[in-house]
Short mmCIF file of all heavy atoms in Angstrom, two decimals:
data_model
loop_
_atom_site.label_atom_id
_atom_site.label_comp_id
_atom_site.label_asym_id
_atom_site.label_seq_id
_atom_site.Cartn_x
_atom_site.Cartn_y
_atom_site.Cartn_z
N ASP D 139 0.82 -1.20 0.00
CA ASP D 139 0.00 0.00 0.00
C ASP D 139 0.86 1.26 0.00
O ASP D 139 0.51 2.27 -0.62
CB ASP D 139 -0.92 0.00 1.22
CG ASP D 139 -2.00 -1.07 1.14
OD1 ASP D 139 -2.30 -1.52 0.00
OD2 ASP D 139 -2.51 -1.47 2.19
N TRP D 140 1.99 1.20 0.72
CA TRP D 140 2.90 2.36 0.74
C TRP D 140 3.41 2.65 -0.66
O TRP D 140 3.49 3.82 -1.07
CB TRP D 140 4.06 2.07 1.68
CG TRP D 140 5.00 3.24 1.85
CD1 TRP D 140 4.93 4.22 2.78
CD2 TRP D 140 6.15 3.53 1.03
NE1 TRP D 140 5.95 5.12 2.61
CE2 TRP D 140 6.72 4.73 1.55
CE3 TRP D 140 6.74 2.92 -0.06
CZ2 TRP D 140 7.86 5.31 0.99
CZ3 TRP D 140 7.88 3.50 -0.62
CH2 TRP D 140 8.41 4.67 -0.10
N LEU D 141 3.75 1.60 -1.41
CA LEU D 141 4.19 1.80 -2.79
C LEU D 141 3.10 2.47 -3.62
O LEU D 141 3.36 3.39 -4.41
CB LEU D 141 4.56 0.46 -3.43
CG LEU D 141 5.83 -0.22 -2.92
CD1 LEU D 141 5.95 -1.61 -3.53
CD2 LEU D 141 7.07 0.60 -3.24
N ARG D 142 1.85 2.04 -3.43
CA ARG D 142 0.74 2.62 -4.18
C ARG D 142 0.56 4.09 -3.86
O ARG D 142 0.28 4.91 -4.75
CB ARG D 142 -0.54 1.85 -3.87
CG ARG D 142 -1.81 2.50 -4.43
CD ARG D 142 -2.99 1.57 -4.23
NE ARG D 142 -3.22 1.25 -2.84
CZ ARG D 142 -4.13 1.84 -2.05
NH1 ARG D 142 -4.89 2.80 -2.55
NH2 ARG D 142 -4.29 1.47 -0.81
N LEU D 143 0.72 4.44 -2.60
CA LEU D 143 0.47 5.81 -2.15
C LEU D 143 1.64 6.75 -2.40
O LEU D 143 1.50 7.96 -2.21
CB LEU D 143 0.11 5.81 -0.67
CG LEU D 143 -1.17 5.07 -0.29
CD1 LEU D 143 -1.30 4.95 1.23
CD2 LEU D 143 -2.38 5.77 -0.88
N HIS D 144 2.79 6.22 -2.81
CA HIS D 144 3.99 7.05 -2.99
C HIS D 144 4.55 6.91 -4.40
O HIS D 144 5.75 6.87 -4.61
CB HIS D 144 5.06 6.68 -1.95
CG HIS D 144 4.69 7.04 -0.55
ND1 HIS D 144 3.88 6.26 0.23
CD2 HIS D 144 5.02 8.13 0.21
CE1 HIS D 144 3.73 6.83 1.42
NE2 HIS D 144 4.40 7.96 1.43
N GLN D 145 3.66 6.89 -5.38
CA GLN D 145 4.10 6.79 -6.76
C GLN D 145 4.88 8.02 -7.22
O GLN D 145 5.79 7.92 -8.05
CB GLN D 145 2.89 6.56 -7.68
CG GLN D 145 2.28 5.18 -7.55
CD GLN D 145 3.22 4.07 -7.96
OE1 GLN D 145 3.78 4.11 -9.07
NE2 GLN D 145 3.42 3.09 -7.10
N LYS D 146 4.55 9.19 -6.69
CA LYS D 146 5.31 10.39 -7.06
C LYS D 146 6.76 10.28 -6.59
O LYS D 146 7.69 10.66 -7.31
CB LYS D 146 4.66 11.64 -6.46
CG LYS D 146 3.34 12.01 -7.12
CD LYS D 146 2.80 13.32 -6.55
CE LYS D 146 1.50 13.72 -7.24
NZ LYS D 146 0.95 14.99 -6.68
N LEU D 147 6.96 9.74 -5.39
CA LEU D 147 8.31 9.55 -4.89
C LEU D 147 9.06 8.54 -5.76
O LEU D 147 10.25 8.73 -6.08
CB LEU D 147 8.27 9.06 -3.44
CG LEU D 147 9.62 8.67 -2.81
CD1 LEU D 147 10.56 9.87 -2.78
CD2 LEU D 147 9.41 8.11 -1.41
N ILE D 148 8.39 7.47 -6.17
CA ILE D 148 9.02 6.46 -7.03
C ILE D 148 9.43 7.09 -8.35
O ILE D 148 10.53 6.82 -8.88
CB ILE D 148 8.06 5.28 -7.24
CG1 ILE D 148 7.91 4.48 -5.94
CG2 ILE D 148 8.56 4.36 -8.36
CD1 ILE D 148 6.88 3.38 -6.02
N ARG D 149 8.59 7.96 -8.90
CA ARG D 149 8.94 8.61 -10.17
C ARG D 149 10.16 9.51 -9.99
O ARG D 149 11.01 9.61 -10.89
CB ARG D 149 7.75 9.39 -10.71
CG ARG D 149 6.69 8.49 -11.34
CD ARG D 149 5.69 9.29 -12.13
NE ARG D 149 4.81 10.07 -11.28
CZ ARG D 149 3.68 9.62 -10.75
NH1 ARG D 149 3.31 8.36 -10.97
NH2 ARG D 149 2.92 10.39 -10.01
N ARG D 150 10.27 10.17 -8.85
CA ARG D 150 11.46 11.00 -8.61
C ARG D 150 12.71 10.13 -8.52
O ARG D 150 13.76 10.49 -9.06
CB ARG D 150 11.28 11.81 -7.32
CG ARG D 150 10.18 12.87 -7.40
CD ARG D 150 10.23 13.78 -6.18
NE ARG D 150 9.12 14.73 -6.19
CZ ARG D 150 8.04 14.62 -5.44
NH1 ARG D 150 7.92 13.58 -4.60
NH2 ARG D 150 7.08 15.51 -5.50
N VAL D 151 12.58 8.99 -7.85
CA VAL D 151 13.72 8.06 -7.77
C VAL D 151 14.10 7.59 -9.17
O VAL D 151 15.29 7.50 -9.51
CB VAL D 151 13.36 6.87 -6.86
CG1 VAL D 151 14.42 5.78 -6.97
CG2 VAL D 151 13.20 7.32 -5.42
N GLN D 152 13.11 7.31 -10.00
CA GLN D 152 13.39 6.86 -11.35
C GLN D 152 14.15 7.92 -12.15
O GLN D 152 15.06 7.59 -12.91
CB GLN D 152 12.08 6.49 -12.06
CG GLN D 152 11.45 5.21 -11.54
CD GLN D 152 10.07 4.96 -12.11
OE1 GLN D 152 9.40 5.88 -12.59
NE2 GLN D 152 9.63 3.71 -12.05
N TRP D 153 13.79 9.19 -11.97
CA TRP D 153 14.50 10.26 -12.68
C TRP D 153 15.94 10.36 -12.22
O TRP D 153 16.85 10.60 -13.03
CB TRP D 153 13.79 11.60 -12.50
CG TRP D 153 12.67 11.81 -13.47
CD1 TRP D 153 11.34 11.92 -13.20
CD2 TRP D 153 12.80 11.92 -14.89
NE1 TRP D 153 10.62 12.09 -14.37
CE2 TRP D 153 11.50 12.10 -15.42
CE3 TRP D 153 13.88 11.88 -15.78
CZ2 TRP D 153 11.26 12.24 -16.79
CZ3 TRP D 153 13.64 12.02 -17.14
CH2 TRP D 153 12.34 12.20 -17.64
N VAL D 154 16.19 10.16 -10.94
CA VAL D 154 17.57 10.16 -10.44
C VAL D 154 18.36 9.03 -11.09
O VAL D 154 19.51 9.22 -11.53
CB VAL D 154 17.59 10.03 -8.90
CG1 VAL D 154 19.02 9.80 -8.40
CG2 VAL D 154 16.99 11.27 -8.24
N VAL D 155 17.76 7.84 -11.15
CA VAL D 155 18.42 6.70 -11.78
C VAL D 155 18.67 6.96 -13.26
O VAL D 155 19.73 6.64 -13.81
CB VAL D 155 17.61 5.41 -11.58
CG1 VAL D 155 18.26 4.24 -12.31
CG2 VAL D 155 17.48 5.08 -10.10
N VAL D 156 17.69 7.58 -13.94
CA VAL D 156 17.84 7.89 -15.37
C VAL D 156 19.05 8.79 -15.60
O VAL D 156 19.88 8.52 -16.48
CB VAL D 156 16.55 8.55 -15.92
CG1 VAL D 156 16.82 9.20 -17.28
CG2 VAL D 156 15.44 7.53 -16.04
N PHE D 157 19.17 9.86 -14.83
CA PHE D 157 20.28 10.79 -15.04
C PHE D 157 21.62 10.13 -14.70
O PHE D 157 22.61 10.33 -15.42
CB PHE D 157 20.07 12.05 -14.19
CG PHE D 157 19.01 12.96 -14.73
CD1 PHE D 157 17.92 13.32 -13.97
CD2 PHE D 157 19.09 13.46 -16.03
CE1 PHE D 157 16.93 14.15 -14.46
CE2 PHE D 157 18.11 14.29 -16.55
CZ PHE D 157 17.02 14.64 -15.76
N ALA D 158 21.67 9.35 -13.63
CA ALA D 158 22.91 8.65 -13.30
C ALA D 158 23.27 7.65 -14.39
O ALA D 158 24.44 7.51 -14.78
CB ALA D 158 22.76 7.96 -11.94
N TYR D 159 22.27 6.95 -14.88
CA TYR D 159 22.47 5.95 -15.94
C TYR D 159 23.01 6.61 -17.21
O TYR D 159 24.01 6.15 -17.79
CB TYR D 159 21.13 5.27 -16.21
CG TYR D 159 21.07 4.37 -17.42
CD1 TYR D 159 21.59 3.08 -17.38
CD2 TYR D 159 20.48 4.80 -18.60
CE1 TYR D 159 21.51 2.24 -18.48
CE2 TYR D 159 20.40 3.98 -19.71
CZ TYR D 159 20.91 2.71 -19.65
OH TYR D 159 20.83 1.89 -20.74
N LEU D 160 22.38 7.69 -17.64
CA LEU D 160 22.83 8.36 -18.86
C LEU D 160 24.24 8.91 -18.70
O LEU D 160 25.06 8.85 -19.64
CB LEU D 160 21.85 9.49 -19.21
CG LEU D 160 20.44 9.05 -19.61
CD1 LEU D 160 19.55 10.26 -19.87
CD2 LEU D 160 20.47 8.15 -20.84
N LEU D 161 24.55 9.44 -17.53
CA LEU D 161 25.90 9.95 -17.27
C LEU D 161 26.94 8.84 -17.38
O LEU D 161 27.96 8.99 -18.07
CB LEU D 161 25.95 10.60 -15.89
CG LEU D 161 27.34 11.03 -15.40
CD1 LEU D 161 27.85 12.20 -16.24
CD2 LEU D 161 27.29 11.42 -13.92
N LEU D 162 26.68 7.72 -16.73
CA LEU D 162 27.67 6.65 -16.68
C LEU D 162 27.76 5.87 -18.00
O LEU D 162 28.81 5.29 -18.30
CB LEU D 162 27.33 5.68 -15.54
CG LEU D 162 27.45 6.26 -14.13
CD1 LEU D 162 27.02 5.24 -13.10
CD2 LEU D 162 28.87 6.72 -13.85
N VAL D 163 26.70 5.88 -18.80
CA VAL D 163 26.75 5.20 -20.09
C VAL D 163 27.40 6.07 -21.16
O VAL D 163 28.25 5.62 -21.93
CB VAL D 163 25.33 4.79 -20.54
CG1 VAL D 163 25.33 4.36 -22.00
CG2 VAL D 163 24.83 3.63 -19.70
N ALA D 164 27.01 7.34 -21.19
CA ALA D 164 27.41 8.20 -22.30
C ALA D 164 28.80 8.82 -22.14
O ALA D 164 29.62 8.77 -23.06
CB ALA D 164 26.37 9.30 -22.50
N VAL D 165 29.09 9.40 -21.00
CA VAL D 165 30.31 10.19 -20.86
C VAL D 165 31.58 9.36 -21.03
O VAL D 165 32.50 9.77 -21.77
CB VAL D 165 30.31 10.93 -19.50
CG1 VAL D 165 31.64 11.64 -19.27
CG2 VAL D 165 29.16 11.92 -19.44
N PRO D 166 31.73 8.19 -20.40
CA PRO D 166 32.98 7.43 -20.55
C PRO D 166 33.32 7.08 -21.99
O PRO D 166 34.50 6.92 -22.33
CB PRO D 166 32.73 6.18 -19.72
CG PRO D 166 31.73 6.58 -18.70
CD PRO D 166 30.83 7.53 -19.42
N ALA D 167 32.32 6.95 -22.87
CA ALA D 167 32.59 6.59 -24.26
C ALA D 167 33.39 7.66 -24.99
O ALA D 167 34.00 7.38 -26.03
CB ALA D 167 31.28 6.32 -24.98
N PHE D 168 33.39 8.89 -24.47
CA PHE D 168 34.10 9.99 -25.13
C PHE D 168 35.37 10.39 -24.38
O PHE D 168 36.00 11.39 -24.71
CB PHE D 168 33.16 11.19 -25.24
CG PHE D 168 31.93 10.90 -26.06
CD1 PHE D 168 30.74 10.55 -25.44
CD2 PHE D 168 31.97 10.94 -27.44
CE1 PHE D 168 29.60 10.26 -26.18
CE2 PHE D 168 30.84 10.65 -28.19
CZ PHE D 168 29.65 10.32 -27.56
N LEU D 169 35.74 9.60 -23.39
CA LEU D 169 36.96 9.85 -22.63
C LEU D 169 38.07 8.90 -23.08
O LEU D 169 37.78 7.82 -23.61
CB LEU D 169 36.70 9.67 -21.13
CG LEU D 169 35.67 10.60 -20.49
CD1 LEU D 169 35.47 10.23 -19.02
CD2 LEU D 169 36.10 12.06 -20.62
N PRO D 170 39.33 9.25 -22.86
CA PRO D 170 40.42 8.32 -23.17
C PRO D 170 40.30 7.06 -22.31
O PRO D 170 39.76 7.10 -21.20
CB PRO D 170 41.68 9.11 -22.83
CG PRO D 170 41.26 10.55 -22.78
CD PRO D 170 39.82 10.54 -22.35
N LEU D 171 40.80 5.95 -22.83
CA LEU D 171 40.82 4.72 -22.03
C LEU D 171 41.69 4.92 -20.79
O LEU D 171 42.71 5.62 -20.84
CB LEU D 171 41.36 3.56 -22.86
CG LEU D 171 40.47 3.09 -24.02
CD1 LEU D 171 41.16 1.98 -24.80
CD2 LEU D 171 39.12 2.62 -23.51
N PRO D 172 41.30 4.36 -19.66
CA PRO D 172 42.05 4.58 -18.42
C PRO D 172 43.47 4.01 -18.50
O PRO D 172 43.71 2.98 -19.14
CB PRO D 172 41.21 3.85 -17.36
CG PRO D 172 40.40 2.86 -18.12
CD PRO D 172 40.14 3.48 -19.46
N GLU D 173 44.38 4.68 -17.83
CA GLU D 173 45.75 4.20 -17.75
C GLU D 173 45.82 3.03 -16.76
O GLU D 173 44.91 2.81 -15.96
CB GLU D 173 46.69 5.32 -17.31
CG GLU D 173 46.71 6.49 -18.29
CD GLU D 173 47.61 7.61 -17.80
OE1 GLU D 173 48.13 7.50 -16.67
OE2 GLU D 173 47.78 8.60 -18.54
N ARG D 174 46.94 2.32 -16.80
CA ARG D 174 47.09 1.15 -15.94
C ARG D 174 47.08 1.53 -14.46
O ARG D 174 46.75 0.70 -13.61
CB ARG D 174 48.38 0.41 -16.28
CG ARG D 174 48.36 -0.23 -17.67
CD ARG D 174 49.63 -1.02 -17.92
NE ARG D 174 49.64 -1.62 -19.25
CZ ARG D 174 49.08 -2.78 -19.55
NH1 ARG D 174 48.48 -3.49 -18.60
NH2 ARG D 174 49.13 -3.26 -20.78
N THR D 175 47.47 2.77 -14.15
CA THR D 175 47.54 3.19 -12.75
C THR D 175 46.22 3.77 -12.24
O THR D 175 46.13 4.17 -11.08
CB THR D 175 48.64 4.25 -12.58
OG1 THR D 175 48.39 5.35 -13.47
CG2 THR D 175 50.00 3.65 -12.89
N ALA D 176 45.20 3.83 -13.10
CA ALA D 176 43.92 4.42 -12.69
C ALA D 176 43.19 3.51 -11.71
O ALA D 176 43.41 2.29 -11.68
CB ALA D 176 43.05 4.67 -13.92
N HIS D 177 42.32 4.11 -10.90
CA HIS D 177 41.54 3.38 -9.91
C HIS D 177 40.05 3.65 -10.12
O HIS D 177 39.66 4.64 -10.76
CB HIS D 177 41.94 3.80 -8.50
CG HIS D 177 43.34 3.46 -8.14
ND1 HIS D 177 43.74 2.20 -7.77
CD2 HIS D 177 44.46 4.24 -8.10
CE1 HIS D 177 45.03 2.19 -7.52
NE2 HIS D 177 45.50 3.42 -7.71
N ILE D 178 39.24 2.78 -9.56
CA ILE D 178 37.79 2.93 -9.68
C ILE D 178 37.33 4.27 -9.14
O ILE D 178 36.46 4.93 -9.71
CB ILE D 178 37.07 1.78 -8.94
CG1 ILE D 178 37.31 0.45 -9.65
CG2 ILE D 178 35.57 2.03 -8.83
CD1 ILE D 178 36.80 -0.76 -8.89
N TRP D 179 37.92 4.72 -8.04
CA TRP D 179 37.46 5.95 -7.39
C TRP D 179 38.09 7.21 -7.97
O TRP D 179 37.74 8.31 -7.56
CB TRP D 179 37.72 5.88 -5.88
CG TRP D 179 39.18 5.67 -5.53
CD1 TRP D 179 40.13 6.63 -5.37
CD2 TRP D 179 39.81 4.43 -5.29
NE1 TRP D 179 41.34 6.07 -5.06
CE2 TRP D 179 41.17 4.71 -4.99
CE3 TRP D 179 39.38 3.09 -5.28
CZ2 TRP D 179 42.10 3.71 -4.70
CZ3 TRP D 179 40.30 2.10 -5.00
CH2 TRP D 179 41.63 2.40 -4.72
N THR D 180 39.03 7.07 -8.93
CA THR D 180 39.65 8.25 -9.53
C THR D 180 39.38 8.37 -11.02
O THR D 180 39.73 9.39 -11.63
CB THR D 180 41.18 8.22 -9.32
OG1 THR D 180 41.73 7.05 -9.97
CG2 THR D 180 41.52 8.21 -7.84
N ASN D 181 38.77 7.36 -11.63
CA ASN D 181 38.56 7.36 -13.07
C ASN D 181 37.10 7.03 -13.38
O ASN D 181 36.60 5.98 -12.97
CB ASN D 181 39.49 6.33 -13.74
CG ASN D 181 39.40 6.37 -15.25
OD1 ASN D 181 38.53 5.77 -15.85
ND2 ASN D 181 40.32 7.10 -15.87
#
């Protein structure tokens, strides 16, 4: 019932996921390939 009553909140969460998804899918494709010394938290 909580899910039914909070559909607006779910839609906001979906928009956050959409923007994060588009950022992580699109931007790296136009960046140089990471160097061997790169790390997950720096690249």
